[in-house]
Amino acid sequence: MNALLLAFALVQTAPDCGKSFAAGLQEYQRKDLNKALIAFRTAVQCDPKLAQAYLAIADIYAELGNESEALAALLQALQIEPKNPLALRAASNLYLRNDEHRKALPLLETLATVTPQSAEVRADLAAIYATNGDHKSAETEFRRALELQADYFPALAGLGNLLMRAGDDATATPLLRKAVRLQPQAYEGHFLLGSALNRLSQFEEARTELELASKLGGENDPRVFYQLARAWGGLGKAPERKAALARFSELAKKQNDDEELKRKAAAWIDEARALLQEGDLENAAARLELAREVKPGDATLLFRLAGLNFDLQRYDAAREYVQAAISISPSTWLYHYLLGLVERSANRMTDAKASLETAAKLQSTEAPVFNALGEVLLEQGERQAAISAFEKAVKLAPDNATFRQNLESARSRR
Amino acid sequence: MRMLFLIALAASAVAEPFFVDEALRAGLKDVFVCGEERQKNYIVEMLGTGVAFLDFDNDGLLDIFAVTASKLDGFTPGADPVNRLYRNKGDRTFEDVSKKAGVARAGWGQGVCTGDIDNDGFVDIYVTYWGADVMYRNRGNGTFEDVTPPGMGSRWGTGCAFVDYDLDGKLDLMVANYVDFDLKNTPRPDGPRPCRWKDENVICGPQGLKPGLNRLWHNESTPGKVRFLDVSKTAGIETPGPRYGLSVTTLDYDSDGWADIYVAVDSQASLLYHNKRDGTFEETALESGVALSEDGREQAGMGTAAADYDGDGWPDLVKTNFIDDLPNLYHNDRDGSFSESTAQAGLSKYTQFLGWGVGFVDYDNDGWLDIFMVTGHVYPNLKTGEYRQRRLLYRNGADGKFSDVSAEAGAAVMEKNAGRGLAVGDYDNDGRPDLLISNMNERLSLLHNTLRAHKSVTLKLVGQKTNRSGIGAVARVRIGERTLTGEVRSGSTFMSQSDFRLQFGLGAASAADAVEVRWPGGRLEKVGALPAGQIITITEGKGVTANTPHTK
């Protein structure tokens, strides 16, 4: 996802929209990612068909570590340009990283038709087929990848692993040896080779490879220690085997505990939802707080917590949560809108105005945002600006009596 | 010309199917229910039910017991499905004697295992339930009485097995428990927050649900009084903590004469309880190499079976798993550990099957144990993938490798069902092992083996000082240079019970050169040569006490 921006130099769009896009590029080059995001969002507000702006948004979100927003932007880009290779590649990578193989598969299949000479795409496609149990297609694609690039490590390791699992150790082992020679620093290669050697009862060499795997980055991978235990067992070294199994158990337990915590967090969120429906805001907030401890980087969760604290009139807490959500996802208008409401309720009108203006910039079709902005502007004595905001609100939601009333009230005020 | 004709004849002989589904001919028409057929909403509707081959009336013919579950919406009064006991009439047909025998019980039945709990010579039955399990004592007159001790099995029992783990001559009972299930608080696929699998809404569990705890019950019965005491905690069964336990297979994997217990666990590490010979067990699955997949992954273990497939005299293990995974064939390394030999043995060809009941069965009597697996998906309404799947018959090539001969076996094997339970037994006493299969919300399948390849010898082992069912006894049959080994066991496969009798295919030989029985605890009893084509009863301390020829 890096250095995508060069590709945007020749963006064709309406002059005003192009201005926002150019501003986004400038901010990006200045490394002010938040401002860049807002500018790119403004650009897609202006020209919803601007696929490159979505790609830029995705790029920045990926840099910020917010994969879900990055993916959302990529999917929007793909709606506009379904065969955009950058978007296909980046979106499939994100899916693969989250083990969402079935979602990655159609993207990679399309990408394979767009970039038929890419060994990387073929190997990724093969890996998905293998995961889905379609070993025949997996083998075909791995072999195609190797035809395109004979020394492509993922294809060598992938095909070796596939053949090893099918019991064809004799063919698998040379492929894995070649993979290890090509990338001696990649622990996965050593791990796979060690596993294959275990199956061939070549325990001494297996142990060497697996110890290398553990030193080269596999120190927290339980699989490495499981295989290492097997090698030690084959060598008749009971204490070493026991130690490796103990390490395996420790790492596997940690993995399981993490998974269990994630499941619990999902359950707490469910419970919070039910409590909310019963009107028990206090306990709902407590459940969400538990979930937040497990998922501290979940912007949606932070936003929910902010909303609950806002409803409970705990404005300091609400502000803290929503600001944390914004730091993760700076171009989500809803977060800025909520922050604006929080600040207004806390009587911090200048901050409220700034947040609501950002929300309005990011989402120009939400009437409540303009109405809230109008109310704050009126409080600050900016009557003309308030009237203008209320007018926008009424234009967007002509049937809303409150917005209308606010507009009339502002107009009649002296 | 004559030569061509003979080749044509030989070809047609090979193409002849050798497993034929005789269920309808045999009168096995009842449908066994487990939840809704098309839209399953909860994990309790997923497991299906078990089946058993047993000779409850001691007439020398295998009868059938089949378990049914129910539907969550229930049935109209009087229409509830019930467990069935079918008596073998001796002409390859059965009659339903469930009501007469007193075992026609409704409820959410799951698994079944058998054993003679009071050593009176009549086999008793244990049925696991989502709810309260039931223990039936065979009165010996064709009827059973419910002797379930208070508090026994009020969980979600799945697989079970009788085993005399402390060698006091009385059969104890091991029961796997699956999930501590809370129907009210479990999401449905069509409700809020459904669980997802391959981008589709599916039944939730077992991951995310509370696992169950396996139970071990010590038999403390006295004449006229059935009593079992829960010793799970003191015996070390609870030590690994709660697990999603499914099938139970007992085996003496270290050949010390004391029964060990293997439990296939769904979505977690499977369990091997090593018998410490002092009334307690130590869980050693990880150390022994039978907890996980070859690459250290937890698997969704379903069914299990144990037998010596390579003729080295030590019991190996096979386990079926979820879809997108392989089964496990664990080879016993004779030092307390096992090596996974799934791929080397040729069992890594398919990942599209979801395996359940599994058995080692020498279908062609060549003296090498083959493998039969029952398969079927858990989600009936998937947009992708097959709910009904074919069965798998793997022939043992006598070289450590198995090959898929399902198609040769015939349409009965290739038929697609959502299969679950499997029992192996020779119901017509012709010396060829037959297969009994339970299918989700369908009638049973009874696969009659018609292959006239080689002869066999069938051994019925009757304990005297040790338990009467002979459970835990190991028979070794020598044929020339080879020694075949078999162990009598309760339970195993998937929530099902196979014939207690041990069948040994003799290949080209016309007799077993020598037979040796090691009774539970290790006492050896030698029996001389035995001719092929016989069902031979060996009674502990008395040698051969009866023999009956196989039927033609």
Side-chain angles (χ1 to χ4, degrees), chain A residues 271-288 308 311-312 314:
Chain A
E271 284 175 28
R273 188 177 289 121
L275 287 163
L276 209 54
Q277 279 169 358
E278 291 164 16
D280 186 353
L281 302 190
E282 287 281 353
N283 281 316
R287 295 290 192 287
L288 287 184
L308 264 175
D311 289 342
L312 288 163
R314 295 174 187 156

mmCIF file of all heavy atoms in Angstrom, chain A residues 271-288 308 311-312 314:
data_model
loop_
_atom_site.group_PDB
_atom_site.id
_atom_site.type_symbol
_atom_site.label_atom_id
_atom_site.label_comp_id
_atom_site.label_asym_id
_atom_site.label_seq_id
_atom_site.Cartn_x
_atom_site.Cartn_y
_atom_site.Cartn_z
ATOM 1 N N GLU A 271 -24.093 -8.224 25.280
ATOM 2 C CA GLU A 271 -24.777 -7.963 26.552
ATOM 3 C C GLU A 271 -25.061 -6.471 26.702
ATOM 4 O O GLU A 271 -26.131 -6.079 27.172
ATOM 5 C CB GLU A 271 -23.912 -8.437 27.727
ATOM 6 C CG GLU A 271 -23.922 -9.939 27.907
ATOM 7 C CD GLU A 271 -22.944 -10.375 29.004
ATOM 8 O OE1 GLU A 271 -22.693 -9.587 29.924
ATOM 9 O OE2 GLU A 271 -22.436 -11.500 28.903
ATOM 10 N N ALA A 272 -24.082 -5.666 26.300
ATOM 11 C CA ALA A 272 -24.264 -4.212 26.406
ATOM 12 C C ALA A 272 -25.457 -3.768 25.574
ATOM 13 O O ALA A 272 -26.269 -2.943 26.004
ATOM 14 C CB ALA A 272 -22.989 -3.509 25.940
ATOM 15 N N ARG A 273 -25.574 -4.363 24.398
ATOM 16 C CA ARG A 273 -26.687 -3.999 23.508
ATOM 17 C C ARG A 273 -28.021 -4.331 24.190
ATOM 18 O O ARG A 273 -28.947 -3.514 24.179
ATOM 19 C CB ARG A 273 -26.540 -4.764 22.193
ATOM 20 C CG ARG A 273 -27.532 -4.307 21.145
ATOM 21 C CD ARG A 273 -27.329 -5.015 19.826
ATOM 22 N NE ARG A 273 -26.116 -4.594 19.156
ATOM 23 C CZ ARG A 273 -25.110 -5.376 18.819
ATOM 24 N NH1 ARG A 273 -25.162 -6.650 19.103
ATOM 25 N NH2 ARG A 273 -24.057 -4.908 18.198
ATOM 26 N N ALA A 274 -28.070 -5.535 24.791
ATOM 27 C CA ALA A 274 -29.317 -5.945 25.460
ATOM 28 C C ALA A 274 -29.618 -5.025 26.643
ATOM 29 O O ALA A 274 -30.772 -4.612 26.844
ATOM 30 C CB ALA A 274 -29.189 -7.393 25.923
ATOM 31 N N LEU A 275 -28.587 -4.682 27.397
ATOM 32 C CA LEU A 275 -28.780 -3.804 28.557
ATOM 33 C C LEU A 275 -29.256 -2.419 28.115
ATOM 34 O O LEU A 275 -30.098 -1.796 28.761
ATOM 35 C CB LEU A 275 -27.471 -3.690 29.345
ATOM 36 C CG LEU A 275 -27.076 -4.938 30.142
ATOM 37 C CD1 LEU A 275 -25.605 -4.883 30.545
ATOM 38 C CD2 LEU A 275 -27.944 -5.073 31.393
ATOM 39 N N LEU A 276 -28.714 -2.012 27.002
ATOM 40 C CA LEU A 276 -29.099 -0.708 26.454
ATOM 41 C C LEU A 276 -30.583 -0.690 26.116
ATOM 42 O O LEU A 276 -31.301 0.278 26.385
ATOM 43 C CB LEU A 276 -28.261 -0.460 25.198
ATOM 44 C CG LEU A 276 -27.941 0.976 24.825
ATOM 45 C CD1 LEU A 276 -27.296 1.712 25.982
ATOM 46 C CD2 LEU A 276 -26.988 0.990 23.629
ATOM 47 N N GLN A 277 -31.013 -1.799 25.523
ATOM 48 C CA GLN A 277 -32.439 -1.883 25.165
ATOM 49 C C GLN A 277 -33.327 -1.864 26.405
ATOM 50 O O GLN A 277 -34.459 -1.389 26.357
ATOM 51 C CB GLN A 277 -32.698 -3.153 24.353
ATOM 52 C CG GLN A 277 -32.322 -2.959 22.898
ATOM 53 C CD GLN A 277 -32.304 -4.250 22.098
ATOM 54 O OE1 GLN A 277 -32.545 -5.322 22.636
ATOM 55 N NE2 GLN A 277 -32.000 -4.139 20.817
ATOM 56 N N GLU A 278 -32.763 -2.373 27.509
ATOM 57 C CA GLU A 278 -33.541 -2.339 28.760
ATOM 58 C C GLU A 278 -33.394 -0.998 29.468
ATOM 59 O O GLU A 278 -33.961 -0.784 30.537
ATOM 60 C CB GLU A 278 -33.043 -3.452 29.697
ATOM 61 C CG GLU A 278 -33.370 -4.849 29.214
ATOM 62 C CD GLU A 278 -32.534 -5.906 29.939
ATOM 63 O OE1 GLU A 278 -31.945 -5.592 30.993
ATOM 64 O OE2 GLU A 278 -32.458 -7.032 29.423
ATOM 65 N N GLY A 279 -32.588 -0.118 28.922
ATOM 66 C CA GLY A 279 -32.393 1.203 29.509
ATOM 67 C C GLY A 279 -31.352 1.236 30.622
ATOM 68 O O GLY A 279 -31.223 2.230 31.330
ATOM 69 N N ASP A 280 -30.610 0.153 30.774
ATOM 70 C CA ASP A 280 -29.604 0.093 31.836
ATOM 71 C C ASP A 280 -28.261 0.596 31.277
ATOM 72 O O ASP A 280 -27.361 -0.170 30.955
ATOM 73 C CB ASP A 280 -29.489 -1.359 32.337
ATOM 74 C CG ASP A 280 -28.563 -1.482 33.529
ATOM 75 O OD1 ASP A 280 -27.904 -0.482 33.887
ATOM 76 O OD2 ASP A 280 -28.510 -2.584 34.118
ATOM 77 N N LEU A 281 -28.140 1.908 31.209
ATOM 78 C CA LEU A 281 -26.966 2.500 30.572
ATOM 79 C C LEU A 281 -25.683 2.249 31.378
ATOM 80 O O LEU A 281 -24.618 2.007 30.796
ATOM 81 C CB LEU A 281 -27.156 4.012 30.410
ATOM 82 C CG LEU A 281 -28.372 4.490 29.618
ATOM 83 C CD1 LEU A 281 -28.270 5.980 29.340
ATOM 84 C CD2 LEU A 281 -28.512 3.751 28.300
ATOM 85 N N GLU A 282 -25.809 2.296 32.692
ATOM 86 C CA GLU A 282 -24.633 2.117 33.554
ATOM 87 C C GLU A 282 -23.957 0.778 33.278
ATOM 88 O O GLU A 282 -22.759 0.705 33.046
ATOM 89 C CB GLU A 282 -25.044 2.157 35.035
ATOM 90 C CG GLU A 282 -25.404 3.525 35.561
ATOM 91 C CD GLU A 282 -24.171 4.369 35.891
ATOM 92 O OE1 GLU A 282 -23.060 3.818 35.818
ATOM 93 O OE2 GLU A 282 -24.335 5.558 36.188
ATOM 94 N N ASN A 283 -24.761 -0.285 33.331
ATOM 95 C CA ASN A 283 -24.172 -1.619 33.141
ATOM 96 C C ASN A 283 -23.741 -1.852 31.701
ATOM 97 O O ASN A 283 -22.779 -2.571 31.445
ATOM 98 C CB ASN A 283 -25.150 -2.700 33.601
ATOM 99 C CG ASN A 283 -25.123 -2.832 35.110
ATOM 100 O OD1 ASN A 283 -24.051 -2.842 35.712
ATOM 101 N ND2 ASN A 283 -26.295 -2.882 35.732
ATOM 102 N N ALA A 284 -24.485 -1.250 30.775
ATOM 103 C CA ALA A 284 -24.087 -1.364 29.367
ATOM 104 C C ALA A 284 -22.697 -0.761 29.191
ATOM 105 O O ALA A 284 -21.831 -1.344 28.528
ATOM 106 C CB ALA A 284 -25.107 -0.656 28.480
ATOM 107 N N ALA A 285 -22.483 0.410 29.811
ATOM 108 C CA ALA A 285 -21.174 1.069 29.702
ATOM 109 C C ALA A 285 -20.089 0.212 30.347
ATOM 110 O O ALA A 285 -18.975 0.101 29.822
ATOM 111 C CB ALA A 285 -21.233 2.445 30.357
ATOM 112 N N ALA A 286 -20.441 -0.431 31.471
ATOM 113 C CA ALA A 286 -19.454 -1.285 32.148
ATOM 114 C C ALA A 286 -19.042 -2.457 31.257
ATOM 115 O O ALA A 286 -17.863 -2.819 31.173
ATOM 116 C CB ALA A 286 -20.029 -1.792 33.462
ATOM 117 N N ARG A 287 -20.017 -3.058 30.566
ATOM 118 C CA ARG A 287 -19.704 -4.178 29.662
ATOM 119 C C ARG A 287 -18.807 -3.705 28.499
ATOM 120 O O ARG A 287 -17.849 -4.370 28.126
ATOM 121 C CB ARG A 287 -20.979 -4.780 29.068
ATOM 122 C CG ARG A 287 -21.897 -5.436 30.051
ATOM 123 C CD ARG A 287 -21.315 -6.736 30.606
ATOM 124 N NE ARG A 287 -22.326 -7.472 31.333
ATOM 125 C CZ ARG A 287 -22.793 -7.140 32.528
ATOM 126 N NH1 ARG A 287 -22.325 -6.073 33.168
ATOM 127 N NH2 ARG A 287 -23.733 -7.875 33.118
ATOM 128 N N LEU A 288 -19.166 -2.551 27.963
ATOM 129 C CA LEU A 288 -18.361 -2.041 26.843
ATOM 130 C C LEU A 288 -16.944 -1.699 27.298
ATOM 131 O O LEU A 288 -15.988 -1.879 26.538
ATOM 132 C CB LEU A 288 -19.023 -0.795 26.239
ATOM 133 C CG LEU A 288 -20.279 -1.038 25.408
ATOM 134 C CD1 LEU A 288 -20.772 0.275 24.804
ATOM 135 C CD2 LEU A 288 -20.031 -2.034 24.276
ATOM 136 N N LEU A 308 -22.534 6.374 25.011
ATOM 137 C CA LEU A 308 -23.169 6.013 26.283
ATOM 138 C C LEU A 308 -22.838 7.029 27.374
ATOM 139 O O LEU A 308 -23.708 7.461 28.128
ATOM 140 C CB LEU A 308 -22.667 4.635 26.727
ATOM 141 C CG LEU A 308 -23.552 3.470 26.364
ATOM 142 C CD1 LEU A 308 -22.869 2.161 26.747
ATOM 143 C CD2 LEU A 308 -24.881 3.569 27.090
ATOM 144 N N ASP A 311 -24.785 10.096 26.870
ATOM 145 C CA ASP A 311 -26.160 9.944 27.372
ATOM 146 C C ASP A 311 -26.205 10.007 28.898
ATOM 147 O O ASP A 311 -27.193 10.452 29.477
ATOM 148 C CB ASP A 311 -26.759 8.613 26.895
ATOM 149 C CG ASP A 311 -27.038 8.643 25.399
ATOM 150 O OD1 ASP A 311 -27.089 9.763 24.839
ATOM 151 O OD2 ASP A 311 -27.176 7.565 24.792
ATOM 152 N N LEU A 312 -25.132 9.533 29.529
ATOM 153 C CA LEU A 312 -25.065 9.568 30.993
ATOM 154 C C LEU A 312 -24.550 10.929 31.510
ATOM 155 O O LEU A 312 -24.319 11.088 32.706
ATOM 156 C CB LEU A 312 -24.134 8.452 31.496
ATOM 157 C CG LEU A 312 -24.685 7.036 31.362
ATOM 158 C CD1 LEU A 312 -23.564 5.999 31.496
ATOM 159 C CD2 LEU A 312 -25.746 6.770 32.432
ATOM 160 N N ARG A 314 -21.726 12.226 31.176
ATOM 161 C CA ARG A 314 -20.335 12.235 31.650
ATOM 162 C C ARG A 314 -19.494 12.756 30.480
ATOM 163 O O ARG A 314 -18.933 11.965 29.704
ATOM 164 C CB ARG A 314 -19.906 10.812 32.014
ATOM 165 C CG ARG A 314 -20.670 10.237 33.192
ATOM 166 C CD ARG A 314 -20.238 8.793 33.328
ATOM 167 N NE ARG A 314 -21.017 8.081 34.310
ATOM 168 C CZ ARG A 314 -21.167 6.762 34.311
ATOM 169 N NH1 ARG A 314 -20.597 6.027 33.375
ATOM 170 N NH2 ARG A 314 -21.877 6.172 35.235
#
